[in-house]
Amino acid sequence: MKEVMAEVLFSPEAIAARVKELGAQISKDYEGKELVVVGVLKGSLLFMADLIREIKTPLRYDLIAVSSYGASTSSSGIVRIIKDIDVSIENEHVLVIEDIVDTGLTLRYLITTLSSRQPASLKSCVLLDKPSRRKIEITPDYNGFVIPDRFVVGYGLDFAQRYRQLPMIAVLKPEVYSAEKNGEKEGN
Ligand code: IMP
C-alpha cells in the first residue's frame, strides 16, 4: 500500500513508544483506582488495544460508536450514538479513548453525554490532536501526538473505511481522496 502514501508521520516504533509513555502516565494517575475505558469505534480500536496493555491499574473496557457528519455539515455539530456502551458508568472513573480530535465536536458530544451519567471522573485520551481545526475549545487530558492540518490514515484511522490496517500513521496522496470527503462519516 506504499503507493498511496505521500508521507509517513509516525512509524510503528514511534507509535509504540508513545503509547507506552501514555500507558505509564495513565497507570500513575489512576493508581489505586479501577478504570472503565470507553473506546470510540471504529478508529480507536488499534490504539485502545495497545494502550490498555500498557495500563497497569485494573480496568474494564466497553465500546461506543458514533456518527458525525462530513465537511459540508460538520459546523452543525450533529453527532449521534449508533451503539452505546453496555455498562453503567455511574460512580466509575471513565477514560474515553478517541483516535483523533479534529473540530472537537465529537469529543465534546461524548464528554457531555457521558458526564450526564454521573461518573466519578471523566477524562479523554486521544492518539492525535489537530488543534488548528478546532471549532470549539476542548483539550484532551492525554494526547499522543499533535499534528498539523493534514488528513491522516493508518493505525485505526480510515479514509472511506480503508487503510485502517496500516501499522504507521501516514498522509495519503491528494489524488486518493480528492474526489470524495462529503456525506456521513459513519462510525468514526
Ligand atoms: P471531530 O468531531 O471533527 O473532532 O472529528 C473526529 C472524527 O473525525 C475522528 O474520530 C475521525 O473519525 C475523523 N477524522 C478527523 N480527522 C481525521 C483524519 O485526519 N483522518 C481520519 N479521520 C479523521
Side-chain angles (χ1 to χ4, degrees):
M1 267 196 273
K2 266 198 173 127
E3 64 286 353
V4 296
M5 284 185 246
E7 193 188 332
V8 173
L9 290 189
F10 304 105
S11 67
E13 296 75 23
I15 297 169
R18 187 67 188 119
V19 168
K20 215 175 168 62
E21 285 175 2
L22 285 172
Q25 185 64 50
I26 292 166
S27 305
K28 194 164 157 253
D29 295 351
Y30 287 91
E31 206 177 339
K33 294 182 179 138
E34 186 172 321
L35 261 176
V36 176
V37 169
V38 176
V40 184
L41 288 170
K42 304 166 189 163
S44 78
L45 204 65
L46 278 68
F47 176 42
M48 182 175 104
D50 287 341
L51 181 65
I52 57 174
R53 283 177 282 183
E54 300 293 342
I55 298 178
K56 306 303 171 205
T57 45
L59 63 80
R60 288 168 287 155
Y61 71 75
D62 205 342
L63 297 161
I64 194 165
V66 294
S67 171
S68 51
Y69 285 79
S72 57
T73 49
S74 62
S75 56
S76 63
I78 299 169
V79 182
R80 62 190 171 90
I81 293 181
I82 300 172
K83 182 229 169 282
D84 207 341
I85 48 173
D86 303 320
V87 297
S88 163
I89 55 167
E90 197 177 339
N91 298 321
E92 304 286 354
H93 295 287
V94 178
L95 182 63
V96 178
I97 312 278
E98 244 296 42
D99 53 358
I100 185 165
V101 57
D102 188 22
T103 63
L105 295 167
T106 307
L107 190 59
R108 181 182 64 179
Y109 173 80
L110 285 164
I111 296 292
T112 309
T113 304
L114 295 176
S115 66
S116 72
R117 301 179 190 180
Q118 271 93 47
S121 69
L122 178 59
K123 284 189 180 182
S124 57
C125 176
V126 306
L127 175 66
L128 302 171
D129 186 0
K130 243 192 244 182
S132 58
R133 294 247 315 158
R134 234 25 138 258
K135 288 206 165 96
I136 50 127
E137 218 176 288
I138 190 161
T139 309
D141 297 285
Y142 303 95
N143 161 33
F145 303 100
V146 173
I147 62 165
D149 185 10
R150 311 282 298 275
F151 193 83
V152 294
V153 296
Y155 197 62
L157 288 110
D158 74 306
F159 171 66
Q161 302 300 328
R162 300 208 172 82
Y163 314 111
R164 293 190 196 273
Q165 89 266 35
L166 292 172
M168 71 288 281
I169 291 164
V171 178
L172 284 179
K173 285 184 180 159
E175 58 264 33
V176 181
Y177 60 85
S178 54
E180 298 181 54
K181 193 104 179 46
N182 269 331
E184 196 170 0
K185 307 188 275 185
E186 206 194 293
N188 281 255

